[in-house]
Amino acid sequence: MTKVKKPVKRLWINSLEIDEIRKGFNNMQSNERDLLMYQEANTRQNSNWLVGMNCSRLYTLLLQQKGFKGSISIGRVQSPTVYLIYKRLQEIENFKPENFYEIEGVFKAQNGV
């Protein structure tokens, strides 16, 4: 953003011990990977906002036309997660216990029983 063309390196350390800090400064990494990760996260954040803002309103209006009272929230991650919870709840409610058996055996071999 500043238009400065000097290289940017990242310091990654997990400890404030002097040896670890020195090792970190000797092994500094390029900023390119982190910049790509930032751009990916920023894109996800914007798409979440767009999906949530538009779809939440749309689905709320469509469901209200069918008699639903209230509003509904839609999101890129939220919606599939809620569906997984719903499916698991259905599995639990429709569970039918079944008998199961365990087989035990005693076998003779050259080295013993």
Side-chain angles (χ1 to χ4, degrees):
M1 293 176 127
T2 62
K3 310 279 192 247
V4 175
K5 300 297 180 197
K6 296 190 181 247
V8 175
K9 298 234 176 193
R10 293 284 180 180
L11 171 66
W12 286 97
I13 55 174
N14 293 324
S15 170
L16 295 178
E17 297 293 324
I18 292 174
D19 292 339
E20 289 298 316
I21 294 171
R22 282 191 181 116
K23 193 187 307 180
F25 274 110
N26 289 330
N27 295 310
M28 290 180 50
Q29 303 294 318
S30 169
N31 189 42
E32 290 177 26
R33 188 193 81 194
D34 300 317
L35 191 55
L36 288 174
M37 288 170 46
Y38 161 76
Q39 290 169 340
E40 290 172 8
N42 193 36
T43 301
R44 278 193 306 277
Q45 180 183 9
N46 289 332
S47 67
N48 284 343
W49 180 73
L50 287 169
V51 167
M53 178 185 67
N54 292 305
C55 290
S56 294
R57 292 176 180 174
L58 172 66
Y59 279 79
T60 295
L61 292 173
L62 291 174
L63 288 170
Q64 284 175 351
Q65 290 174 359
K66 297 191 179 292
F68 179 77
K69 307 247 188 280
S71 62
I72 188 165
S73 177
I74 302 289
R76 181 184 66 89
V77 175
Q78 172 187 347
S79 299
T81 304
V82 170
Y83 180 70
L84 289 172
I85 294 169
Y86 165 76
K87 291 297 284 182
R88 181 66 181 137
L89 183 61
Q90 276 189 323
E91 290 174 4
I92 292 169
E93 288 175 350
N94 296 326
F95 176 75
K96 304 235 184 325
E98 296 178 9
N99 292 334
F100 70 96
Y101 303 94
E102 291 183 18
I103 298 175
E104 287 186 25
V106 179
F107 302 93
K108 277 189 175 179
Q110 285 180 330
N111 296 333
V113 177

